[in-house]
Amino acid sequence: MDPDVRAPLDTALLRDLLCEPHGPLRRLHVVETSESTNTELAAGVAADPAAWPAPALLVAEHQVAGRGRAGRSWATPARAALTASLLVRPQVPRGRLGWLPLLAGLATVTALRSTLGVQAVAKWPNDVLVLTDEPEIEGWGRLRKIAGILTEVLPDGVVIGVGLNVSQTREELPVPTAVSVAQVGGASIDRTVILTALAEASVSVLGRWTEAGGDVHSSGLAEEVAAVSATVGASVRVELADGTELRGTATGLAADGALLVEDASRTVRTVHTGDVYHLRLN
Protein backbone atom coordinates (compact mmCIF):
# COMPACT_ATOMS: atom_id res chain seq x y z
CA MET A 1 0.00 0.00 0.00
CA ASP A 2 1.20 3.51 -0.85
CA PRO A 3 2.43 5.00 2.47
CA ASP A 4 0.86 8.36 1.57
CA VAL A 5 -2.56 6.69 1.75
CA ARG A 6 -2.19 6.54 5.53
CA ALA A 7 -0.35 9.81 6.08
CA PRO A 8 -0.92 11.69 9.33
CA LEU A 9 -3.69 14.24 9.50
CA ASP A 10 -2.58 17.77 8.60
CA THR A 11 -3.32 19.24 12.02
CA ALA A 12 -2.17 22.75 11.15
CA LEU A 13 -4.41 22.89 8.09
CA LEU A 14 -7.34 21.44 10.05
CA ARG A 15 -7.00 24.10 12.74
CA ASP A 16 -6.82 26.83 10.12
CA LEU A 17 -9.94 25.54 8.35
CA LEU A 18 -12.03 24.41 11.30
CA CYS A 19 -11.14 26.54 14.32
CA GLU A 20 -12.11 30.10 15.13
CA PRO A 21 -11.89 32.68 13.66
CA HIS A 22 -12.22 30.96 10.26
CA GLY A 23 -14.10 27.82 11.22
CA PRO A 24 -16.90 26.64 13.50
CA LEU A 25 -14.86 24.87 16.22
CA ARG A 26 -13.55 26.41 19.41
CA ARG A 27 -11.02 23.64 19.97
CA LEU A 28 -9.47 20.84 17.89
CA HIS A 29 -7.18 18.32 19.55
CA VAL A 30 -5.49 15.47 17.68
CA VAL A 31 -3.86 12.60 19.59
CA GLU A 32 -1.73 9.80 18.19
CA THR A 33 -3.49 7.00 20.07
CA SER A 34 -6.68 6.72 22.08
CA GLU A 35 -8.51 3.76 23.51
CA SER A 36 -11.78 5.56 22.80
CA THR A 37 -12.19 9.19 21.76
CA ASN A 38 -15.60 9.31 23.44
CA THR A 39 -14.18 8.06 26.73
CA GLU A 40 -11.15 10.34 26.55
CA LEU A 41 -13.20 13.42 25.70
CA ALA A 42 -15.73 12.71 28.45
CA ALA A 43 -12.90 12.36 30.96
CA GLY A 44 -11.31 15.59 29.78
CA VAL A 45 -14.55 17.51 30.12
CA ALA A 46 -15.14 16.10 33.61
CA ALA A 47 -11.61 17.04 34.73
CA ASP A 48 -11.58 20.57 33.28
CA PRO A 49 -14.75 21.78 31.54
CA ALA A 50 -13.22 25.18 30.75
CA ALA A 51 -10.53 23.48 28.66
CA TRP A 52 -13.21 22.15 26.32
CA PRO A 53 -15.34 25.04 25.04
CA ALA A 54 -18.03 23.69 22.72
CA PRO A 55 -18.04 22.85 19.93
CA ALA A 56 -14.77 20.98 20.39
CA LEU A 57 -13.39 18.01 18.48
CA LEU A 58 -11.05 15.26 19.67
CA VAL A 59 -9.51 13.12 16.94
CA ALA A 60 -7.32 10.02 17.26
CA GLU A 61 -4.91 8.87 14.57
CA HIS A 62 -5.34 5.35 15.96
CA GLN A 63 -8.22 4.23 18.16
CA VAL A 64 -7.38 0.91 19.77
CA ALA A 65 -10.46 0.11 21.85
CA GLY A 66 -13.35 1.99 20.35
CA ARG A 67 -16.86 1.44 21.64
CA GLY A 68 -20.03 1.00 19.66
CA ARG A 69 -23.62 0.89 20.81
CA ALA A 70 -24.45 -1.65 23.56
CA GLY A 71 -20.77 -1.83 24.53
CA ARG A 72 -19.58 -3.47 21.33
CA SER A 73 -15.89 -3.06 20.55
CA TRP A 74 -14.51 -1.52 17.39
CA ALA A 75 -10.88 -1.18 16.26
CA THR A 76 -9.04 -0.23 13.06
CA PRO A 77 -5.48 -0.19 11.73
CA ALA A 78 -3.58 3.01 12.47
CA ARG A 79 -4.58 5.93 10.23
CA ALA A 80 -6.98 3.77 8.21
CA ALA A 81 -10.13 5.37 9.59
CA LEU A 82 -11.46 8.59 11.02
CA THR A 83 -12.17 8.30 14.73
CA ALA A 84 -13.42 11.52 16.25
CA SER A 85 -15.70 12.80 19.00
CA LEU A 86 -17.49 16.14 18.98
CA LEU A 87 -18.48 17.92 22.19
CA VAL A 88 -21.61 20.06 22.00
CA ARG A 89 -23.66 21.81 24.67
CA PRO A 90 -27.03 22.30 22.97
CA GLN A 91 -29.51 24.48 24.82
CA VAL A 92 -32.55 22.37 23.97
CA PRO A 93 -35.11 20.41 26.02
CA ARG A 94 -33.59 17.16 27.24
CA GLY A 95 -36.40 15.14 25.66
CA ARG A 96 -35.16 16.19 22.21
CA LEU A 97 -31.64 14.78 22.63
CA GLY A 98 -32.79 11.47 21.13
CA TRP A 99 -32.48 13.10 17.72
CA LEU A 100 -28.71 13.58 18.08
CA PRO A 101 -27.64 10.18 16.63
CA LEU A 102 -30.01 10.72 13.70
CA LEU A 103 -28.72 14.24 13.09
CA ALA A 104 -25.12 13.00 13.27
CA GLY A 105 -26.07 10.35 10.73
CA LEU A 106 -27.56 13.02 8.45
CA ALA A 107 -24.37 15.08 8.72
CA THR A 108 -22.19 12.06 7.91
CA VAL A 109 -24.34 11.13 4.91
CA THR A 110 -24.21 14.75 3.72
CA ALA A 111 -20.41 14.88 3.94
CA LEU A 112 -19.96 11.55 2.15
CA ARG A 113 -22.32 12.49 -0.65
CA SER A 114 -21.19 16.07 -1.23
CA THR A 115 -17.44 15.64 -0.80
CA LEU A 116 -16.75 12.05 -1.86
CA GLY A 117 -19.62 11.22 -4.19
CA VAL A 118 -20.48 8.23 -1.99
CA GLN A 119 -24.24 7.62 -2.02
CA ALA A 120 -24.56 6.82 1.65
CA VAL A 121 -27.77 6.30 3.59
CA ALA A 122 -28.59 6.17 7.29
CA LYS A 123 -29.79 3.12 9.20
CA TRP A 124 -31.74 3.82 12.39
CA PRO A 125 -30.47 4.71 14.90
CA ASN A 126 -26.74 5.16 14.44
CA ASP A 127 -25.21 3.52 11.35
CA VAL A 128 -24.29 4.89 7.94
CA LEU A 129 -24.47 2.46 5.03
CA VAL A 130 -23.55 2.27 1.36
CA LEU A 131 -25.17 0.17 -1.36
CA THR A 132 -22.53 -2.09 -2.90
CA ASP A 133 -22.23 -4.74 -5.61
CA GLU A 134 -21.46 -7.37 -2.96
CA PRO A 135 -23.61 -10.49 -2.57
CA GLU A 136 -26.65 -10.11 -0.34
CA ILE A 137 -26.35 -10.81 3.37
CA GLU A 138 -29.43 -11.59 5.44
CA GLY A 139 -30.63 -8.50 7.27
CA TRP A 140 -28.38 -6.27 5.17
CA GLY A 141 -29.04 -7.04 1.51
CA ARG A 142 -26.23 -5.38 -0.47
CA LEU A 143 -25.92 -2.55 2.03
CA ARG A 144 -22.70 -2.36 4.02
CA LYS A 145 -21.72 -0.28 7.05
CA ILE A 146 -19.22 2.50 6.40
CA ALA A 147 -19.62 4.47 9.64
CA GLY A 148 -21.01 4.15 13.15
CA ILE A 149 -22.13 6.79 15.62
CA LEU A 150 -22.13 6.71 19.42
CA THR A 151 -23.81 9.53 21.34
CA GLU A 152 -23.37 9.93 25.09
CA VAL A 153 -25.00 12.52 27.33
CA LEU A 154 -22.66 14.00 29.96
CA PRO A 155 -23.44 16.18 32.99
CA ASP A 156 -21.88 19.03 31.00
CA GLY A 157 -22.74 18.50 27.35
CA VAL A 158 -23.07 15.69 24.83
CA VAL A 159 -20.33 13.73 23.08
CA ILE A 160 -21.00 12.49 19.56
CA GLY A 161 -18.47 9.92 18.38
CA VAL A 162 -18.08 8.95 14.72
CA GLY A 163 -15.99 6.11 13.36
CA LEU A 164 -15.67 6.16 9.57
CA ASN A 165 -13.87 3.46 7.56
CA VAL A 166 -11.58 5.19 5.06
CA SER A 167 -8.75 3.12 3.56
CA GLN A 168 -9.23 -0.37 4.98
CA THR A 169 -8.98 -3.31 2.65
CA ARG A 170 -11.54 -6.09 2.78
CA GLU A 171 -9.14 -8.16 4.89
CA GLU A 172 -8.72 -5.35 7.43
CA LEU A 173 -12.42 -4.92 8.11
CA PRO A 174 -13.71 -6.91 11.09
CA VAL A 175 -16.96 -8.20 9.59
CA PRO A 176 -18.31 -8.93 6.09
CA THR A 177 -21.04 -6.31 6.59
CA ALA A 178 -18.48 -3.46 6.71
CA VAL A 179 -16.97 -1.43 3.87
CA SER A 180 -14.56 1.49 3.49
CA VAL A 181 -14.47 4.66 1.41
CA ALA A 182 -11.64 3.16 -0.63
CA GLN A 183 -13.68 0.06 -1.45
CA VAL A 184 -16.66 2.01 -2.76
CA GLY A 185 -14.61 4.33 -4.95
CA GLY A 186 -14.87 7.56 -2.97
CA ALA A 187 -13.42 10.63 -4.66
CA SER A 188 -10.77 10.96 -1.93
CA ILE A 189 -9.33 8.94 0.92
CA ASP A 190 -7.44 11.93 2.30
CA ARG A 191 -8.57 11.93 5.93
CA THR A 192 -7.86 15.65 6.31
CA VAL A 193 -10.29 16.40 3.48
CA ILE A 194 -12.92 14.01 4.84
CA LEU A 195 -12.64 15.24 8.43
CA THR A 196 -13.05 18.85 7.30
CA ALA A 197 -16.23 17.98 5.43
CA LEU A 198 -17.56 15.88 8.30
CA ALA A 199 -16.90 18.53 10.96
CA GLU A 200 -18.42 21.32 8.88
CA ALA A 201 -21.53 19.28 8.08
CA SER A 202 -21.96 18.23 11.72
CA VAL A 203 -21.70 21.74 13.13
CA SER A 204 -24.03 23.06 10.42
CA VAL A 205 -26.75 20.47 11.06
CA LEU A 206 -26.49 20.77 14.83
CA GLY A 207 -26.46 24.56 14.59
CA ARG A 208 -29.76 24.57 12.69
CA TRP A 209 -31.25 22.20 15.27
CA THR A 210 -30.07 24.29 18.22
CA GLU A 211 -31.28 27.55 16.69
CA ALA A 212 -34.73 25.95 16.40
CA GLY A 213 -34.67 24.96 20.07
CA GLY A 214 -34.27 21.31 19.15
CA ASP A 215 -37.40 21.34 16.97
CA VAL A 216 -36.58 19.08 14.03
CA HIS A 217 -39.78 20.00 12.21
CA SER A 218 -39.54 23.79 12.19
CA SER A 219 -35.86 23.48 11.21
CA GLY A 220 -36.69 21.14 8.31
CA LEU A 221 -34.34 18.49 9.69
CA ALA A 222 -37.01 15.83 10.29
CA GLU A 223 -37.71 15.67 6.56
CA GLU A 224 -34.00 15.57 5.74
CA VAL A 225 -33.36 12.75 8.21
CA ALA A 226 -36.26 10.74 6.75
CA ALA A 227 -35.06 11.40 3.20
CA VAL A 228 -31.65 9.80 3.81
CA SER A 229 -33.01 6.92 5.92
CA ALA A 230 -32.79 3.38 4.55
CA THR A 231 -34.91 2.20 7.48
CA VAL A 232 -38.04 4.30 7.10
CA GLY A 233 -40.27 2.45 4.63
CA ALA A 234 -38.41 -0.85 4.98
CA SER A 235 -39.65 -4.18 6.27
CA VAL A 236 -37.64 -4.77 9.42
CA ARG A 237 -36.87 -7.22 12.15
CA VAL A 238 -36.00 -5.57 15.46
CA GLU A 239 -34.23 -7.39 18.27
CA LEU A 240 -35.47 -5.51 21.32
CA ALA A 241 -33.52 -4.89 24.50
CA ASP A 242 -35.70 -7.32 26.48
CA GLY A 243 -34.79 -10.20 24.16
CA THR A 244 -38.03 -10.23 22.19
CA GLU A 245 -38.38 -9.66 18.47
CA LEU A 246 -40.57 -7.31 16.49
CA ARG A 247 -41.30 -7.64 12.77
CA GLY A 248 -43.13 -5.13 10.64
CA THR A 249 -42.74 -2.04 8.51
CA ALA A 250 -40.83 1.00 9.74
CA THR A 251 -43.37 3.70 9.03
CA GLY A 252 -41.61 6.76 10.39
CA LEU A 253 -40.05 8.49 13.36
CA ALA A 254 -41.68 9.57 16.61
CA ALA A 255 -41.45 13.05 18.08
CA ASP A 256 -38.37 12.05 20.09
CA GLY A 257 -36.62 10.26 17.20
CA ALA A 258 -37.77 6.75 18.14
CA LEU A 259 -38.61 4.34 15.32
CA LEU A 260 -42.28 3.61 14.57
CA VAL A 261 -42.92 0.03 13.44
CA GLU A 262 -46.30 -1.27 12.28
CA ASP A 263 -46.61 -4.99 13.01
CA ALA A 264 -48.73 -7.66 11.32
CA SER A 265 -51.78 -6.68 13.38
CA ARG A 266 -51.40 -3.10 12.13
CA THR A 267 -50.44 -1.96 15.61
CA VAL A 268 -47.81 0.79 15.55
CA ARG A 269 -45.13 0.23 18.17
CA THR A 270 -42.50 2.72 19.28
CA VAL A 271 -38.92 1.45 19.40
CA HIS A 272 -36.43 3.47 21.45
CA THR A 273 -33.58 0.97 21.38
CA GLY A 274 -32.84 -2.28 19.55
CA ASP A 275 -30.91 -3.88 16.71
CA VAL A 276 -32.65 -3.34 13.38
CA TYR A 277 -32.31 -5.67 10.40
CA HIS A 278 -33.76 -4.78 7.02
CA LEU A 279 -35.84 -7.57 5.50
CA ARG A 280 -36.93 -5.70 2.40
CA LEU A 281 -36.37 -2.16 1.18
CA ASN A 282 -39.37 -0.45 -0.40
Side-chain angles (χ1 to χ4, degrees), residues 83-154:
T83 50
S85 294
L86 178 69
L87 172 71
V88 293
R89 294 187 175 99
Q91 300 302 306
V92 303
R94 192 174 183 85
R96 295 177 175 177
L97 295 179
W99 280 94
L100 278 171
L102 310 182
L103 296 174
L106 171 63
T108 304
V109 168
T110 300
L112 288 171
R113 290 183 178 185
S114 62
T115 302
L116 304 181
V118 173
Q119 293 306 301
V121 293
K123 177 188 173 194
W124 188 93
N126 61 345
D127 288 341
V128 177
L129 314 179
V130 176
L131 186 64
T132 70
D133 295 327
E134 298 289 326
E136 291 196 3
I137 295 177
E138 183 179 359
W140 291 80
R142 292 188 292 117
L143 290 167
R144 299 291 184 267
K145 179 175 175 177
I146 198 167
I149 295 160
L150 180 64
T151 301
E152 298 178 279
V153 179
L154 310 178

Side-chain angles (χ1 to χ4, degrees), residues 72-227:
R72 298 184 180 98
S73 61
W74 183 76
T76 64
R79 298 174 179 165
L82 275 177
T83 50
S85 294
L86 178 69
L87 172 71
V88 293
R89 294 187 175 99
Q91 300 302 306
V92 303
R94 192 174 183 85
R96 295 177 175 177
L97 295 179
W99 280 94
L100 278 171
L102 310 182
L103 296 174
L106 171 63
T108 304
V109 168
T110 300
L112 288 171
R113 290 183 178 185
S114 62
T115 302
L116 304 181
V118 173
Q119 293 306 301
V121 293
K123 177 188 173 194
W124 188 93
N126 61 345
D127 288 341
V128 177
L129 314 179
V130 176
L131 186 64
T132 70
D133 295 327
E134 298 289 326
E136 291 196 3
I137 295 177
E138 183 179 359
W140 291 80
R142 292 188 292 117
L143 290 167
R144 299 291 184 267
K145 179 175 175 177
I146 198 167
I149 295 160
L150 180 64
T151 301
E152 298 178 279
V153 179
L154 310 178
D156 182 26
V158 181
V159 170
I160 305 168
V162 178
L164 172 66
N165 299 326
V166 177
S167 66
Q168 292 101 314
T169 63
R170 184 192 303 272
E171 293 74 25
E172 289 173 324
L173 291 166
V175 291
T177 52
V179 77
S180 68
V181 172
Q183 287 181 279
V184 297
S188 174
I189 54 173
D190 184 327
R191 292 179 308 130
T192 298
V193 170
I194 300 171
L195 181 60
T196 300
L198 182 59
E200 290 178 339
S202 297
V203 174
S204 174
V205 166
L206 295 175
R208 290 171 54 196
W209 178 67
T210 301
E211 288 170 8
D215 187 335
V216 293
H217 297 286
S218 67
S219 63
L221 289 166
E223 293 81 3
E224 292 180 32
V225 167

